mmCIF file of all heavy atoms in Angstrom:
data_model
loop_
_atom_site.group_PDB
_atom_site.id
_atom_site.type_symbol
_atom_site.label_atom_id
_atom_site.label_comp_id
_atom_site.label_asym_id
_atom_site.label_seq_id
_atom_site.Cartn_x
_atom_site.Cartn_y
_atom_site.Cartn_z
ATOM 1 N N LEU Z 25 9.599 -4.314 -4.090
ATOM 2 C CA LEU Z 25 8.220 -4.126 -3.628
ATOM 3 C C LEU Z 25 7.424 -5.425 -3.557
ATOM 4 O O LEU Z 25 6.542 -5.565 -2.706
ATOM 5 C CB LEU Z 25 7.485 -3.142 -4.544
ATOM 6 C CG LEU Z 25 7.831 -1.668 -4.416
ATOM 7 C CD1 LEU Z 25 6.963 -0.850 -5.350
ATOM 8 C CD2 LEU Z 25 7.661 -1.178 -2.983
ATOM 9 N N GLY Z 26 7.716 -6.357 -4.457
ATOM 10 C CA GLY Z 26 6.874 -7.534 -4.623
ATOM 11 C C GLY Z 26 6.549 -8.260 -3.331
ATOM 12 O O GLY Z 26 7.457 -8.643 -2.574
ATOM 13 N N ASP Z 27 5.256 -8.439 -3.061
ATOM 14 C CA ASP Z 27 4.762 -9.200 -1.909
ATOM 15 C C ASP Z 27 5.225 -8.646 -0.562
ATOM 16 O O ASP Z 27 5.423 -9.400 0.400
ATOM 17 C CB ASP Z 27 5.160 -10.680 -2.034
ATOM 18 C CG ASP Z 27 4.598 -11.307 -3.300
ATOM 19 O OD1 ASP Z 27 3.446 -11.001 -3.641
ATOM 20 O OD2 ASP Z 27 5.325 -12.078 -3.955
ATOM 21 N N THR Z 28 5.414 -7.338 -0.509
ATOM 22 C CA THR Z 28 5.737 -6.683 0.760
ATOM 23 C C THR Z 28 4.529 -5.879 1.241
ATOM 24 O O THR Z 28 3.625 -5.561 0.473
ATOM 25 C CB THR Z 28 6.935 -5.727 0.624
ATOM 26 O OG1 THR Z 28 6.595 -4.662 -0.275
ATOM 27 C CG2 THR Z 28 8.167 -6.449 0.113
ATOM 28 N N VAL Z 29 4.540 -5.543 2.513
ATOM 29 C CA VAL Z 29 3.513 -4.683 3.103
ATOM 30 C C VAL Z 29 4.215 -3.491 3.735
ATOM 31 O O VAL Z 29 5.153 -3.651 4.527
ATOM 32 C CB VAL Z 29 2.680 -5.424 4.164
ATOM 33 C CG1 VAL Z 29 1.657 -4.480 4.785
ATOM 34 C CG2 VAL Z 29 1.984 -6.631 3.551
ATOM 35 N N ILE Z 30 3.779 -2.290 3.365
ATOM 36 C CA ILE Z 30 4.366 -1.061 3.878
ATOM 37 C C ILE Z 30 3.292 -0.301 4.639
ATOM 38 O O ILE Z 30 2.166 -0.160 4.146
ATOM 39 C CB ILE Z 30 4.924 -0.197 2.736
ATOM 40 C CG1 ILE Z 30 5.963 -0.985 1.931
ATOM 41 C CG2 ILE Z 30 5.530 1.106 3.266
ATOM 42 C CD1 ILE Z 30 6.396 -0.313 0.647
ATOM 43 N N CYS Z 31 3.620 0.166 5.820
ATOM 44 C CA CYS Z 31 2.662 0.910 6.641
ATOM 45 C C CYS Z 31 3.286 2.222 7.110
ATOM 46 O O CYS Z 31 4.498 2.312 7.311
ATOM 47 C CB CYS Z 31 2.247 0.098 7.869
ATOM 48 S SG CYS Z 31 1.555 -1.519 7.500
ATOM 49 N N GLU Z 32 2.445 3.212 7.272
ATOM 50 C CA GLU Z 32 2.905 4.491 7.809
ATOM 51 C C GLU Z 32 1.757 5.133 8.575
ATOM 52 O O GLU Z 32 0.607 5.096 8.143
ATOM 53 C CB GLU Z 32 3.391 5.415 6.692
ATOM 54 C CG GLU Z 32 4.103 6.648 7.226
ATOM 55 C CD GLU Z 32 4.876 7.398 6.144
ATOM 56 O OE1 GLU Z 32 5.261 6.767 5.135
ATOM 57 O OE2 GLU Z 32 5.082 8.605 6.314
ATOM 58 N N ASN Z 33 2.097 5.706 9.721
ATOM 59 C CA ASN Z 33 1.085 6.304 10.589
ATOM 60 C C ASN Z 33 1.470 7.741 10.925
ATOM 61 O O ASN Z 33 2.573 7.994 11.417
ATOM 62 C CB ASN Z 33 0.944 5.482 11.876
ATOM 63 C CG ASN Z 33 -0.124 6.038 12.786
ATOM 64 O OD1 ASN Z 33 -1.168 6.493 12.312
ATOM 65 N ND2 ASN Z 33 0.122 6.007 14.088
ATOM 66 N N ARG Z 34 0.564 8.663 10.609
ATOM 67 C CA ARG Z 34 0.776 10.067 10.947
ATOM 68 C C ARG Z 34 -0.505 10.625 11.556
ATOM 69 O O ARG Z 34 -1.559 10.008 11.469
ATOM 70 C CB ARG Z 34 1.177 10.875 9.715
ATOM 71 C CG ARG Z 34 2.413 10.349 9.002
ATOM 72 C CD ARG Z 34 3.007 11.377 8.099
ATOM 73 N NE ARG Z 34 4.036 10.812 7.225
ATOM 74 C CZ ARG Z 34 4.819 11.542 6.433
ATOM 75 N NH1 ARG Z 34 4.675 12.861 6.392
ATOM 76 N NH2 ARG Z 34 5.725 10.978 5.672
ATOM 77 N N GLU Z 35 -0.395 11.802 12.142
ATOM 78 C CA GLU Z 35 -1.556 12.374 12.814
ATOM 79 C C GLU Z 35 -2.710 12.627 11.847
ATOM 80 O O GLU Z 35 -3.880 12.404 12.168
ATOM 81 C CB GLU Z 35 -1.166 13.689 13.501
ATOM 82 C CG GLU Z 35 -2.306 14.328 14.293
ATOM 83 C CD GLU Z 35 -1.866 15.585 15.005
ATOM 84 O OE1 GLU Z 35 -0.649 15.852 15.070
ATOM 85 O OE2 GLU Z 35 -2.751 16.311 15.500
ATOM 86 N N GLN Z 36 -2.393 13.073 10.640
ATOM 87 C CA GLN Z 36 -3.427 13.407 9.670
ATOM 88 C C GLN Z 36 -3.994 12.175 8.962
ATOM 89 O O GLN Z 36 -5.117 12.193 8.452
ATOM 90 C CB GLN Z 36 -2.876 14.383 8.629
ATOM 91 C CG GLN Z 36 -3.924 14.947 7.679
ATOM 92 C CD GLN Z 36 -3.339 15.999 6.758
ATOM 93 O OE1 GLN Z 36 -2.291 16.580 7.029
ATOM 94 N NE2 GLN Z 36 -4.013 16.253 5.638
ATOM 95 N N GLY Z 37 -3.227 11.098 8.918
ATOM 96 C CA GLY Z 37 -3.703 9.904 8.245
ATOM 97 C C GLY Z 37 -2.699 8.767 8.332
ATOM 98 O O GLY Z 37 -1.538 8.965 8.712
ATOM 99 N N SER Z 38 -3.163 7.585 7.975
ATOM 100 C CA SER Z 38 -2.328 6.393 7.978
ATOM 101 C C SER Z 38 -2.634 5.575 6.725
ATOM 102 O O SER Z 38 -3.698 5.733 6.112
ATOM 103 C CB SER Z 38 -2.596 5.532 9.223
ATOM 104 O OG SER Z 38 -2.435 6.285 10.414
ATOM 105 N N PHE Z 39 -1.686 4.698 6.353
ATOM 106 C CA PHE Z 39 -1.972 3.813 5.225
ATOM 107 C C PHE Z 39 -1.347 2.444 5.439
ATOM 108 O O PHE Z 39 -0.346 2.299 6.156
ATOM 109 C CB PHE Z 39 -1.507 4.403 3.892
ATOM 110 C CG PHE Z 39 -0.009 4.437 3.692
ATOM 111 C CD1 PHE Z 39 0.678 3.287 3.293
ATOM 112 C CD2 PHE Z 39 0.720 5.602 3.876
ATOM 113 C CE1 PHE Z 39 2.057 3.308 3.096
ATOM 114 C CE2 PHE Z 39 2.095 5.636 3.677
ATOM 115 C CZ PHE Z 39 2.762 4.483 3.285
ATOM 116 N N ILE Z 40 -1.954 1.447 4.824
ATOM 117 C CA ILE Z 40 -1.399 0.100 4.706
ATOM 118 C C ILE Z 40 -1.308 -0.174 3.207
ATOM 119 O O ILE Z 40 -2.299 -0.098 2.488
ATOM 120 C CB ILE Z 40 -2.289 -0.961 5.384
ATOM 121 C CG1 ILE Z 40 -2.483 -0.619 6.866
ATOM 122 C CG2 ILE Z 40 -1.671 -2.352 5.230
ATOM 123 C CD1 ILE Z 40 -3.516 -1.493 7.548
ATOM 124 N N TRP Z 41 -0.105 -0.481 2.730
ATOM 125 C CA TRP Z 41 0.163 -0.639 1.297
ATOM 126 C C TRP Z 41 0.630 -2.078 1.073
ATOM 127 O O TRP Z 41 1.739 -2.438 1.442
ATOM 128 C CB TRP Z 41 1.217 0.394 0.893
ATOM 129 C CG TRP Z 41 1.774 0.289 -0.477
ATOM 130 C CD1 TRP Z 41 1.415 -0.566 -1.475
ATOM 131 C CD2 TRP Z 41 2.846 1.082 -1.014
ATOM 132 N NE1 TRP Z 41 2.178 -0.358 -2.599
ATOM 133 C CE2 TRP Z 41 3.052 0.655 -2.341
ATOM 134 C CE3 TRP Z 41 3.620 2.115 -0.505
ATOM 135 C CZ2 TRP Z 41 4.034 1.211 -3.154
ATOM 136 C CZ3 TRP Z 41 4.594 2.678 -1.310
ATOM 137 C CH2 TRP Z 41 4.785 2.234 -2.626
ATOM 138 N N GLU Z 42 -0.242 -2.911 0.505
ATOM 139 C CA GLU Z 42 0.050 -4.324 0.260
ATOM 140 C C GLU Z 42 0.384 -4.539 -1.213
ATOM 141 O O GLU Z 42 -0.397 -4.168 -2.092
ATOM 142 C CB GLU Z 42 -1.145 -5.189 0.650
ATOM 143 C CG GLU Z 42 -1.541 -5.061 2.110
ATOM 144 C CD GLU Z 42 -2.784 -5.857 2.424
ATOM 145 O OE1 GLU Z 42 -2.664 -7.062 2.746
ATOM 146 O OE2 GLU Z 42 -3.885 -5.272 2.337
ATOM 147 N N ASN Z 43 1.532 -5.154 -1.479
ATOM 148 C CA ASN Z 43 1.996 -5.372 -2.846
ATOM 149 C C ASN Z 43 1.867 -6.833 -3.252
ATOM 150 O O ASN Z 43 2.157 -7.743 -2.466
ATOM 151 C CB ASN Z 43 3.471 -4.958 -2.970
ATOM 152 C CG ASN Z 43 3.658 -3.464 -2.847
ATOM 153 O OD1 ASN Z 43 3.516 -2.734 -3.804
ATOM 154 N ND2 ASN Z 43 3.977 -3.003 -1.634
ATOM 155 N N PHE Z 44 1.462 -7.055 -4.515
ATOM 156 C CA PHE Z 44 1.348 -8.402 -5.079
ATOM 157 C C PHE Z 44 1.923 -8.354 -6.496
ATOM 158 O O PHE Z 44 1.365 -7.716 -7.385
ATOM 159 C CB PHE Z 44 -0.116 -8.846 -5.113
ATOM 160 C CG PHE Z 44 -0.808 -8.752 -3.786
ATOM 161 C CD1 PHE Z 44 -1.552 -7.626 -3.462
ATOM 162 C CD2 PHE Z 44 -0.702 -9.773 -2.856
ATOM 163 C CE1 PHE Z 44 -2.187 -7.520 -2.234
ATOM 164 C CE2 PHE Z 44 -1.337 -9.677 -1.615
ATOM 165 C CZ PHE Z 44 -2.082 -8.554 -1.312
ATOM 166 N N TYR Z 45 3.051 -9.044 -6.684
ATOM 167 C CA TYR Z 45 3.749 -9.016 -7.965
ATOM 168 C C TYR Z 45 3.433 -10.246 -8.788
ATOM 169 O O TYR Z 45 3.486 -11.380 -8.296
ATOM 170 C CB TYR Z 45 5.254 -8.906 -7.736
ATOM 171 C CG TYR Z 45 6.076 -8.973 -9.001
ATOM 172 C CD1 TYR Z 45 6.133 -7.884 -9.859
ATOM 173 C CD2 TYR Z 45 6.770 -10.134 -9.346
ATOM 174 C CE1 TYR Z 45 6.877 -7.942 -11.037
ATOM 175 C CE2 TYR Z 45 7.519 -10.200 -10.513
ATOM 176 C CZ TYR Z 45 7.563 -9.099 -11.345
ATOM 177 O OH TYR Z 45 8.291 -9.164 -12.505
ATOM 178 N N ASP Z 46 3.108 -10.042 -10.075
ATOM 179 C CA ASP Z 46 2.846 -11.129 -11.011
ATOM 180 C C ASP Z 46 4.035 -11.240 -11.962
ATOM 181 O O ASP Z 46 4.239 -10.369 -12.817
ATOM 182 C CB ASP Z 46 1.564 -10.851 -11.790
ATOM 183 C CG ASP Z 46 1.138 -12.030 -12.667
ATOM 184 O OD1 ASP Z 46 2.013 -12.664 -13.266
ATOM 185 O OD2 ASP Z 46 -0.074 -12.285 -12.755
ATOM 186 N N ALA Z 47 4.806 -12.300 -11.820
ATOM 187 C CA ALA Z 47 6.027 -12.452 -12.625
ATOM 188 C C ALA Z 47 5.721 -12.652 -14.098
ATOM 189 O O ALA Z 47 6.529 -12.271 -14.958
ATOM 190 C CB ALA Z 47 6.847 -13.638 -12.098
ATOM 191 N N ASP Z 48 4.580 -13.231 -14.420
ATOM 192 C CA ASP Z 48 4.243 -13.484 -15.822
ATOM 193 C C ASP Z 48 3.946 -12.188 -16.574
ATOM 194 O O ASP Z 48 4.377 -12.005 -17.713
ATOM 195 C CB ASP Z 48 3.043 -14.429 -15.919
ATOM 196 C CG ASP Z 48 3.362 -15.819 -15.426
ATOM 197 O OD1 ASP Z 48 4.537 -16.227 -15.519
ATOM 198 O OD2 ASP Z 48 2.447 -16.499 -14.911
ATOM 199 N N THR Z 49 3.210 -11.304 -15.954
ATOM 200 C CA THR Z 49 2.835 -10.040 -16.609
ATOM 201 C C THR Z 49 3.772 -8.895 -16.256
ATOM 202 O O THR Z 49 3.713 -7.842 -16.874
ATOM 203 C CB THR Z 49 1.406 -9.633 -16.222
ATOM 204 O OG1 THR Z 49 1.350 -9.409 -14.798
ATOM 205 C CG2 THR Z 49 0.407 -10.711 -16.607
ATOM 206 N N GLN Z 50 4.633 -9.102 -15.250
ATOM 207 C CA GLN Z 50 5.516 -8.049 -14.720
ATOM 208 C C GLN Z 50 4.706 -6.855 -14.208
ATOM 209 O O GLN Z 50 5.163 -5.719 -14.237
ATOM 210 C CB GLN Z 50 6.528 -7.595 -15.775
ATOM 211 C CG GLN Z 50 7.497 -8.685 -16.209
ATOM 212 C CD GLN Z 50 8.521 -8.191 -17.204
ATOM 213 O OE1 GLN Z 50 8.193 -7.480 -18.162
ATOM 214 N NE2 GLN Z 50 9.764 -8.563 -17.012
ATOM 215 N N VAL Z 51 3.520 -7.153 -13.720
ATOM 216 C CA VAL Z 51 2.646 -6.115 -13.173
ATOM 217 C C VAL Z 51 2.596 -6.244 -11.657
ATOM 218 O O VAL Z 51 2.431 -7.347 -11.123
ATOM 219 C CB VAL Z 51 1.217 -6.212 -13.749
ATOM 220 C CG1 VAL Z 51 0.256 -5.286 -13.002
ATOM 221 C CG2 VAL Z 51 1.228 -5.866 -15.235
ATOM 222 N N ASN Z 52 2.745 -5.120 -10.969
ATOM 223 C CA ASN Z 52 2.644 -5.074 -9.519
ATOM 224 C C ASN Z 52 1.305 -4.457 -9.127
ATOM 225 O O ASN Z 52 0.982 -3.342 -9.543
ATOM 226 C CB ASN Z 52 3.782 -4.245 -8.915
ATOM 227 C CG ASN Z 52 3.831 -4.348 -7.403
ATOM 228 O OD1 ASN Z 52 4.213 -5.383 -6.868
ATOM 229 N ND2 ASN Z 52 3.439 -3.287 -6.717
ATOM 230 N N GLU Z 53 0.526 -5.195 -8.374
ATOM 231 C CA GLU Z 53 -0.729 -4.674 -7.824
ATOM 232 C C GLU Z 53 -0.460 -4.186 -6.409
ATOM 233 O O GLU Z 53 0.152 -4.889 -5.609
ATOM 234 C CB GLU Z 53 -1.785 -5.763 -7.799
ATOM 235 C CG GLU Z 53 -3.068 -5.370 -7.056
ATOM 236 C CD GLU Z 53 -4.044 -6.513 -6.913
ATOM 237 O OE1 GLU Z 53 -3.924 -7.488 -7.686
ATOM 238 O OE2 GLU Z 53 -4.919 -6.441 -6.037
ATOM 239 N N TYR Z 54 -0.885 -2.961 -6.111
ATOM 240 C CA TYR Z 54 -0.811 -2.572 -4.709
ATOM 241 C C TYR Z 54 -2.146 -2.047 -4.226
ATOM 242 O O TYR Z 54 -2.779 -1.216 -4.837
ATOM 243 C CB TYR Z 54 0.354 -1.640 -4.401
ATOM 244 C CG TYR Z 54 0.459 -0.315 -5.092
ATOM 245 C CD1 TYR Z 54 -0.070 0.843 -4.519
ATOM 246 C CD2 TYR Z 54 1.173 -0.178 -6.281
ATOM 247 C CE1 TYR Z 54 0.073 2.076 -5.117
ATOM 248 C CE2 TYR Z 54 1.324 1.053 -6.897
ATOM 249 C CZ TYR Z 54 0.770 2.176 -6.299
ATOM 250 O OH TYR Z 54 0.916 3.401 -6.900
ATOM 251 N N ASP Z 55 -2.552 -2.663 -3.111
ATOM 252 C CA ASP Z 55 -3.828 -2.331 -2.485
ATOM 253 C C ASP Z 55 -3.578 -1.384 -1.323
ATOM 254 O O ASP Z 55 -2.849 -1.718 -0.381
ATOM 255 C CB ASP Z 55 -4.526 -3.597 -1.984
ATOM 256 C CG ASP Z 55 -4.872 -4.552 -3.111
ATOM 257 O OD1 ASP Z 55 -5.028 -4.069 -4.249
ATOM 258 O OD2 ASP Z 55 -4.973 -5.760 -2.861
ATOM 259 N N LEU Z 56 -4.184 -0.214 -1.410
ATOM 260 C CA LEU Z 56 -4.026 0.808 -0.375
ATOM 261 C C LEU Z 56 -5.250 0.847 0.517
ATOM 262 O O LEU Z 56 -6.385 0.935 0.037
ATOM 263 C CB LEU Z 56 -3.852 2.186 -1.015
ATOM 264 C CG LEU Z 56 -2.464 2.596 -1.495
ATOM 265 C CD1 LEU Z 56 -2.560 3.928 -2.235
ATOM 266 C CD2 LEU Z 56 -1.495 2.707 -0.332
ATOM 267 N N THR Z 57 -5.013 0.760 1.808
ATOM 268 C CA THR Z 57 -6.059 1.024 2.795
ATOM 269 C C THR Z 57 -5.674 2.315 3.514
ATOM 270 O O THR Z 57 -4.592 2.398 4.105
ATOM 271 C CB THR Z 57 -6.183 -0.123 3.804
ATOM 272 O OG1 THR Z 57 -6.448 -1.341 3.097
ATOM 273 C CG2 THR Z 57 -7.321 0.147 4.776
ATOM 274 N N LEU Z 58 -6.537 3.304 3.429
ATOM 275 C CA LEU Z 58 -6.245 4.636 3.945
ATOM 276 C C LEU Z 58 -7.161 4.963 5.115
ATOM 277 O O LEU Z 58 -8.360 4.662 5.093
ATOM 278 C CB LEU Z 58 -6.444 5.695 2.852
ATOM 279 C CG LEU Z 58 -5.606 5.538 1.585
ATOM 280 C CD1 LEU Z 58 -6.237 6.302 0.440
ATOM 281 C CD2 LEU Z 58 -4.181 6.028 1.832
ATOM 282 N N TYR Z 59 -6.592 5.597 6.122
ATOM 283 C CA TYR Z 59 -7.360 6.136 7.231
ATOM 284 C C TYR Z 59 -7.062 7.628 7.284
ATOM 285 O O TYR Z 59 -5.941 8.042 7.611
ATOM 286 C CB TYR Z 59 -6.977 5.454 8.546
ATOM 287 C CG TYR Z 59 -7.286 3.974 8.549
ATOM 288 C CD1 TYR Z 59 -6.338 3.049 8.092
ATOM 289 C CD2 TYR Z 59 -8.514 3.493 8.992
ATOM 290 C CE1 TYR Z 59 -6.613 1.687 8.078
ATOM 291 C CE2 TYR Z 59 -8.800 2.135 8.974
ATOM 292 C CZ TYR Z 59 -7.847 1.244 8.520
ATOM 293 O OH TYR Z 59 -8.121 -0.109 8.509
ATOM 294 N N ILE Z 60 -8.051 8.430 6.928
ATOM 295 C CA ILE Z 60 -7.842 9.869 6.766
ATOM 296 C C ILE Z 60 -8.642 10.624 7.820
ATOM 297 O O ILE Z 60 -9.856 10.404 7.988
ATOM 298 C CB ILE Z 60 -8.257 10.327 5.360
ATOM 299 C CG1 ILE Z 60 -7.455 9.561 4.299
ATOM 300 C CG2 ILE Z 60 -8.044 11.835 5.202
ATOM 301 C CD1 ILE Z 60 -7.857 9.878 2.888
ATOM 302 N N ARG Z 61 -7.976 11.523 8.531
ATOM 303 C CA ARG Z 61 -8.640 12.303 9.579
ATOM 304 C C ARG Z 61 -9.648 13.264 8.967
ATOM 305 O O ARG Z 61 -9.340 13.974 7.995
ATOM 306 C CB ARG Z 61 -7.610 13.093 10.392
ATOM 307 C CG ARG Z 61 -8.205 13.778 11.639
ATOM 308 C CD ARG Z 61 -7.139 14.503 12.414
ATOM 309 N NE ARG Z 61 -6.632 15.644 11.670
ATOM 310 C CZ ARG Z 61 -5.595 16.399 12.056
ATOM 311 N NH1 ARG Z 61 -4.947 16.096 13.172
ATOM 312 N NH2 ARG Z 61 -5.194 17.410 11.324
ATOM 313 N N GLN Z 62 -10.839 13.297 9.511
ATOM 314 C CA GLN Z 62 -11.894 14.192 9.060
ATOM 315 C C GLN Z 62 -11.888 15.479 9.886
ATOM 316 O O GLN Z 62 -11.236 15.558 10.928
ATOM 317 C CB GLN Z 62 -13.252 13.499 9.165
ATOM 318 C CG GLN Z 62 -13.313 12.164 8.447
ATOM 319 C CD GLN Z 62 -12.988 12.284 6.962
ATOM 320 O OE1 GLN Z 62 -13.673 12.966 6.218
ATOM 321 N NE2 GLN Z 62 -11.920 11.614 6.524
#
């Protein structure tokens, strides 16, 4: 996952999932941007 970007698009919604891995803490941060149909 580290430092990858995952995207998916569907009729009901889409997302952009950006990963940032910190080797010192072994913690992965992932920022989600969501587009949800109203």
Side-chain angles (χ1 to χ4, degrees):
L25 286 183
D27 301 320
T28 64
V29 178
I30 303 170
C31 304
E32 190 166 335
N33 182 38
R34 304 198 191 188
E35 183 177 349
Q36 188 175 340
S38 305
F39 71 80
I40 302 171
W41 172 4
E42 300 176 87
N43 291 276
F44 306 95
Y45 176 75
D46 187 320
D48 293 331
T49 62
Q50 296 183 315
V51 170
N52 189 72
E53 172 186 340
Y54 59 93
D55 297 335
L56 277 174
T57 303
L58 301 160
Y59 297 89
I60 302 176
R61 188 178 68 186
Q62 306 302 299

